[in-house]
Amino acid sequence: MTDSIMSKAATMEIPINSNGDTGTLPEDDSLEQDLQQVMVSGPNLNETSIVSGGYGGTAEGIIPTSSIKELRMKARRSSVPPSSSISRPIASHSNEHKGSSMHHSSSSSSMAADEATRGVAVEKLETVKKWGLNTYKCTKQMISERFGRGSRTVDMELEAQIEVLRDTKRKYESVLRLARALTNHFYNMVQTQHALGDTFADLSQKSPELRDEFGYNAETQKLLCKNGETLLGAINFFVSSINTLVNKTMEDTLMTIKMYESSRLEFDAYRSDLEELSLGPRDAVAMARIDAAQQQYQIQKDKYERLRSDVIIKLKFLEENKVKVMHKQLLLFHNAISAYFAGNQQQLEQTLKQFNIKLKPPGDDKPSWLEEQ
């Protein structure tokens, strides 16, 4: 029996992997049993050797018995699962806990963002609701006034002042338009005089028999051109001042008047709403509506009174400013025109000094008078 076992062990092939370790085969269990039987019934394995040979191979080698013991130990170690496989469930559990925490925090942040978005949407909705209600009331009041069914608050004295201001603005706009047209035409005339003077001066050099005559006319045109540029400086200053008065000062007052008229319409709309509710029933719901309407009415009344006071103050200051500006500008315009057409160059220059108007030197690159408007 021992011979059969030894022959079976001799014919078995022990595979070796790349690292010199034995591989695991399905015959590991049977090999271990056979080796146990050999150790029990056979001779001392420390003094024996096993002859190993491959199937069909001629090479033979001697394998020490100590390698068989190492084989048994490695076979047992191969049956134990690696430590990394034991730690995997723990790591997986940790990842699951971490993932659940991240999911919880992300869901909390998304809920907070949703609540903030919802709050903004509700606020915008309330604003649109108030705007729509106010627009409805004002439109209703406007239609009632147009058809003579609704009453409106009227300040006769203030309305008259506003109408005077609008009429004054229209007339001043006409003055401004005509003054700009005068500037345009006079600028073209000065340019023509300048070109004519240069032509006369050139002909005086090329026509000896008419040198004096061409020379006189060239000097006259150059003098007129110089005085014309001085007058253009005065007219341009006049136009600039009128433009500031009309398109800035008056326009600012008219903007305040538009705000006042809008507040007057809102005031009358809420006043009419309060009057309608006051004529209705006096139950709990109606009284709550009357209280809310009374609060809105008081808010609109305060706004209307404040803007009315602003309009009165601005109209007063505008009238004072208009008188000062027009007194100065009309005096400038009259003195400059009179001095120019009288041929009084000294008086024309004195007029510009009186009103602190400085002209640029002739050599400076400057835009035309029209471009400065």
Side-chain angles (χ1 to χ4, degrees):
M1 180 179 178
T2 304
D3 295 337
S4 64
I5 293 172
M6 292 296 293
S7 62
K8 183 178 179 181
T11 56
M12 291 181 63
E13 183 178 5
I14 301 174
I16 306 298
N17 59 18
S18 60
N19 295 326
D21 298 333
T22 56
T24 59
L25 293 174
E27 292 85 355
D28 288 344
D29 295 337
S30 62
L31 176 60
E32 185 177 358
Q33 294 176 2
D34 294 339
L35 292 175
Q36 289 176 359
Q37 292 178 3
V38 170
M39 292 176 67
V40 174
S41 60
N44 190 0
L45 293 177
N46 294 327
E47 298 176 356
T48 61
S49 61
I50 299 173
V51 179
S52 174
Y55 293 102
T58 58
E60 293 181 355
I62 304 299
I63 301 177
T65 57
S66 60
S67 63
I68 298 176
K69 293 180 179 180
E70 293 177 0
L71 176 63
R72 291 176 60 192
M73 295 299 294
K74 292 180 180 179
R76 289 178 181 178
R77 285 197 299 267
S78 64
S79 63
V80 180
S83 60
S84 61
S85 63
I86 298 175
S87 62
R88 285 176 185 174
I90 299 175
S92 175
H93 178 71
S94 176
N95 291 334
E96 289 179 359
H97 179 69
K98 184 177 180 181
S100 62
S101 300
M102 293 177 63
H103 177 71
H104 179 70
S105 61
S106 62
S107 61
S108 300
S109 61
S110 63
M111 289 176 62
D114 292 341
E115 290 179 359
T117 304
R118 191 179 301 109
V120 173
V122 170
E123 184 179 356
K124 290 184 177 181
L125 183 61
E126 289 296 328
T127 303
V128 172
K129 182 179 178 181
K130 291 180 181 179
W131 174 82
L133 181 62
N134 183 72
T135 303
Y136 167 75
K137 291 180 180 296
C138 293
T139 305
K140 180 182 177 182
Q141 177 67 24
M142 185 184 301
I143 295 174
S144 299
E145 292 178 2
R146 292 281 180 88
F147 288 95
R149 292 195 299 265
S151 60
R152 56 169 295 182
T153 303
V154 180
D155 188 335
M156 300 299 297
E157 182 179 358
L158 185 58
E159 293 290 337
Q161 293 178 3
I162 293 173
E163 187 60 32
V164 169
L165 172 60
R166 286 173 173 160
D167 184 65
T168 302
K169 185 174 183 292
R170 287 191 294 267
K171 293 178 179 178
Y172 276 45
E173 287 175 343
S174 178
V175 171
L176 180 61
R177 184 174 60 255
L178 294 172
R180 284 174 172 169
L182 176 63
T183 304
N184 183 22
H185 298 321
F186 197 76
Y187 172 78
N188 292 330
M189 187 185 73
V190 170
Q191 294 300 313
T192 304
Q193 289 175 340
H194 183 74
L196 189 58
D198 291 341
T199 304
F200 283 156
D202 182 64
L203 289 173
S204 66
Q205 298 294 329
K206 297 179 180 180
S207 303
E209 66 281 2
L210 297 174
R211 177 179 301 174
D212 295 338
E213 289 79 0
F214 279 124
Y216 297 152
N217 282 276
E219 293 295 330
T220 302
Q221 294 300 321
K222 288 181 180 180
L223 180 60
L224 290 174
C225 182
K226 180 181 178 180
N227 292 341
E229 290 177 351
T230 305
L231 179 60
L232 277 174
I235 297 176
N236 184 66
F237 186 78
F238 174 82
V239 170
S240 177
S241 301
I242 300 298
N243 180 65
T244 302
L245 177 64
V246 173
N247 293 321
K248 292 185 179 180
T249 309
M250 290 185 178
E251 188 63 28
D252 178 70
T253 305
L254 288 174
M255 288 297 297
T256 306
I257 290 174
K258 290 179 181 178
M259 295 172 60
Y260 158 75
E261 292 175 343
S262 177
S263 68
R264 196 277 311 162
L265 183 64
E266 292 179 355
F267 168 69
D268 284 336
Y270 283 93
R271 176 182 56 80
S272 299
D273 187 40
L274 179 61
E275 291 175 355
E276 291 179 1
L277 291 174
S278 300
L279 296 176
R282 294 284 179 168
D283 55 359
V285 178
M287 291 302 297
R289 292 180 178 178
I290 290 174
D291 291 340
Q294 181 68 35
Q295 293 177 0
Q296 292 295 326
Y297 166 77
Q298 189 62 40
I299 293 173
Q300 297 299 328
K301 182 180 179 181
D302 294 341
K303 180 181 178 181
Y304 166 75
E305 292 292 341
R306 183 178 67 254
L307 287 172
R308 178 177 175 273
S309 176
D310 292 344
V311 169
I312 293 174
I313 293 173
K314 284 198 172 185
L315 284 174
K316 179 180 179 181
F317 282 110
L318 175 62
E319 184 64 23
E320 294 176 357
N321 188 31
K322 182 191 70 174
V323 171
K324 291 180 181 179
V325 169
M326 293 308 299
H327 175 76
K328 177 180 178 180
Q329 296 304 317
L330 290 174
L331 184 62
L332 166 66
F333 191 81
H334 173 268
N335 291 344
I337 292 290
S338 299
Y340 174 79
F341 285 99
N344 193 339
Q345 180 180 359
Q346 183 178 1
Q347 184 181 356
L348 182 60
E349 293 177 354
Q350 186 64 31
T351 301
L352 267 66
K353 291 181 181 179
Q354 179 183 355
F355 292 96
N356 297 322
I357 301 174
K358 296 181 180 180
L359 299 178
K360 293 182 179 181
D364 285 358
D365 293 330
K366 60 177 182 294
S368 64
W369 297 108
L370 291 178
E371 292 174 350
E372 293 181 355
Q373 302 307 315

